[in-house]
């Protein structure tokens, strides 16, 4: 019933946008009924002897489940693609789902499939607020930003904990790759990912930041102080740059976040940072995000997500809905 209601909403969307011809497409995400049990997955993985083995087990299990359960649906979508009904088919495994662009005719063909839990539209939406910026405040004349002194980061550094050996998957607007304070602190992605990460909005190897938010967060995590002020709480950690926003207009949508999470888990990130939220998400988006975070945690990767970024509309979208 819920799936058919969402299909009906999508069809109204086509109509309201003036698409009388079925050829125009809108981006959708298809969540399959068969999903992993993250608790059981985590329990089974916990018996393995190392963090790497645990991650490998979870990744292989999720990939195997997705490959088997998506096989028939992918075959149908490929056939539809040849007939011009869908395009840009992107299977996911961290959540058992498939995103694509689809026509109204394709939606009608998909709505009664028993292997589909829900289908929802993926309209890119701005998710960041414009914030005034200012240089980091220096603390006590020691060239350390005041916020680091307030959390006693300098005392932790003296005990030998500076983030060494930790890879942070930063899911944001990207990074200013030539920033002095980030040199030596960006992930080596080898010849396949020469720019220290990936852009999941444009689907290319250039995660350069044209907005500024991601670089700001990079600096909060790892900036070394070469530019004059130490701002990074873990200056010996490394950042995997995972861009999910488009240019300066801040557009993004949840399948891009989930694809970035999937990439980070598969490529060795120890922790994820996602300093962004979505006011008033629908039930399908919440389901997608929860399953992605639970499966990521089962692989031994913690996802650190912001709360309160919605500022004055916090009363309309209280935690955990923002």
């Amino acid at each position: 019933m819920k799936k058919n209601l969402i299909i009906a909403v999508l069809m109204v969307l086509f109509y309201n946008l003036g698409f009388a011809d079925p050829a125009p497409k809108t981006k959708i995400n298809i969540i399959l009924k068969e999903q992993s049990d993250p608790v059981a997955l985590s329990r089974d993985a916990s018996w393995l002897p190392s963090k790497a083995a645990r991650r490998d087990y979870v990744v292989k299990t999720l990939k195997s489940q997705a490959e088997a359960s998506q096989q028939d649906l992918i075959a149908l979508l490929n056939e539809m693609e040849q007939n011009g009904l869908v395009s840009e088919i992107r299977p996911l495994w961290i959540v058992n789902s498939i995103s694509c662009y689809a026509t109204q005719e394709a939606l009608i063909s998909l709505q009664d499939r028993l292997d589909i839990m829900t289908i929802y539209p993926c309209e890119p939406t701005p998710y960041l607020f414009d914030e005034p910026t200012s240089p980091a405040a220096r603390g006590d004349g020691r060239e350390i930003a005041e916020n680091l002194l307030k959390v006693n980061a300098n005392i932790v550094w003296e005990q030998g904990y500076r983030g060494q050996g930790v890879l942070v998957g930063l899911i944001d607007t990207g990074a200013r790759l030539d920033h002095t304070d980030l040199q030596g602190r960006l992930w080596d992605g080898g010849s396949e990912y020469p720019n220290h990460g990936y852009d999941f909005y444009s689907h290319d190897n250039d995660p350069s930041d044209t907005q500024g938010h991601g670089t700001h967060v990079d600096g909060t995590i790892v900036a070394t102080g070469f530019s004059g002020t130490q701002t990074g709480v873990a200056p010996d950690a490394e950042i995997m740059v995972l861009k999910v926003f488009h240019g300066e207009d801040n557009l993004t949508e949840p399948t891009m976040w989930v694809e970035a999470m999937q990439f980070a888990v598969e490529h060795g990130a120890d922790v994820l940072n996602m300093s962004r939220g979505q006011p008033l998400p629908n039930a399908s988006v919440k389901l997608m995000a929860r399953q992605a975070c639970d499966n990521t945690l089962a692989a031994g990767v913690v996802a650190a997500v912001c709360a309160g970024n919605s500022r004055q509309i916090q009363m309309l979208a209280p935690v955990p809905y923002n």
Side-chain angles (χ1 to χ4, degrees):
M1 181 61 125
K2 185 184 294 184
K3 181 173 69 178
N4 290 338
L5 176 61
I6 294 173
I7 294 291
V9 171
L10 282 165
M11 290 178 181
V12 170
L13 176 63
F14 274 104
Y15 179 81
N16 288 340
L17 291 175
F19 294 159
D21 190 305
K25 303 180 184 74
T26 190
K27 187 174 182 181
I28 62 170
N29 190 45
I30 306 166
I31 301 180
L32 280 78
K33 282 185 180 177
E34 184 177 334
Q35 297 292 327
S36 67
D37 178 349
V39 174
L41 195 61
S42 181
R43 182 188 63 239
D44 294 344
S46 68
W47 291 96
L48 296 169
S50 68
K51 181 178 179 180
R54 174 178 180 172
R55 181 197 301 264
D56 186 60
Y57 170 80
V58 170
V59 169
K60 286 182 177 178
T61 300
L62 292 174
K63 280 186 173 182
S64 178
Q65 178 195 44
E67 182 179 2
S69 60
Q70 293 177 12
Q71 186 173 7
D72 290 345
L73 182 54
I74 289 288
L76 174 61
L77 292 173
N78 286 337
E79 182 180 339
M80 288 181 175
E81 185 174 35
Q82 292 175 6
N83 294 321
L85 300 179
V86 303
S87 59
E88 298 185 40
I89 303 165
R90 305 190 71 85
L92 294 169
W93 51 262
I94 198 78
V95 178
N96 192 11
S97 62
I98 304 167
S99 69
C100 65
Y101 286 82
T103 64
Q104 182 175 346
E105 182 180 345
L107 288 169
I108 293 171
S109 298
L110 294 170
Q111 65 178 337
D112 293 325
R113 285 188 63 95
L114 299 179
D115 54 349
I116 294 176
M117 179 189 302
T118 188
I119 302 174
Y120 66 92
C122 302
E123 186 68 22
T125 306
Y127 286 100
L128 293 175
F129 296 104
D130 292 327
E131 296 282 2
T133 59
S134 59
R138 299 186 179 185
D140 254 0
R142 288 181 285 180
E143 306 298 316
I144 299 176
E146 182 181 4
N147 61 299
L148 298 183
L149 298 176
K150 286 184 176 180
V151 298
N152 296 319
N154 55 320
I155 297 174
V156 176
W157 298 338
E158 290 169 2
Q159 296 175 5
Y161 302 104
R162 296 174 53 88
Q164 56 270 32
V166 175
L167 178 59
V168 181
L170 187 77
I171 301 175
D172 213 291
T173 66
R176 188 176 135 192
L177 303 177
D178 62 351
H179 197 296
T180 305
D181 274 353
L182 299 180
Q183 299 313 296
R185 303 273 53 88
L186 299 179
W187 174 61
D188 181 1
S191 59
E192 189 173 7
Y193 303 103
N195 294 315
H196 317 290
Y198 193 77
D199 181 347
F200 293 90
Y201 194 104
S202 301
H203 294 291
D204 62 39
N205 272 335
D206 185 10
S208 297
D209 188 1
T210 56
Q211 198 273 349
H213 185 274
T215 301
H216 167 86
V217 179
D218 288 326
T220 301
I221 299 172
V222 301
T224 58
F226 290 152
S227 296
T229 301
Q230 174 86 50
T231 62
V233 70
D236 287 348
E238 291 187 342
I239 294 287
M240 178 188 289
V241 186
L242 307 172
K243 183 175 180 177
V244 295
F245 287 87
H246 176 258
E248 298 178 359
D249 55 15
N250 302 332
L251 293 177
T252 185
E253 53 89 0
T255 63
M256 299 172 190
W257 313 342
V258 172
E259 195 171 356
M261 294 172 72
Q262 177 176 284
F263 181 98
V265 170
E266 187 169 20
H267 289 85
D270 299 293
V271 61
L272 306 183
N273 187 92
M274 298 186 285
S275 297
R276 54 103 194 105
Q278 179 181 359
L280 303 176
N282 63 48
S284 298
V285 170
K286 288 191 284 186
L287 169 66
M288 182 87 165
R290 171 58 63 189
Q291 189 74 17
C293 287
D294 285 347
N295 287 341
T296 295
L297 186 60
V301 181
V302 174
V305 186
C306 68
N309 275 14
S310 46
R311 300 188 307 178
Q312 71 271 18
I313 67 167
Q314 175 67 17
M315 67 179 69
L316 300 178
V319 175
Y321 301 108
N322 68 343

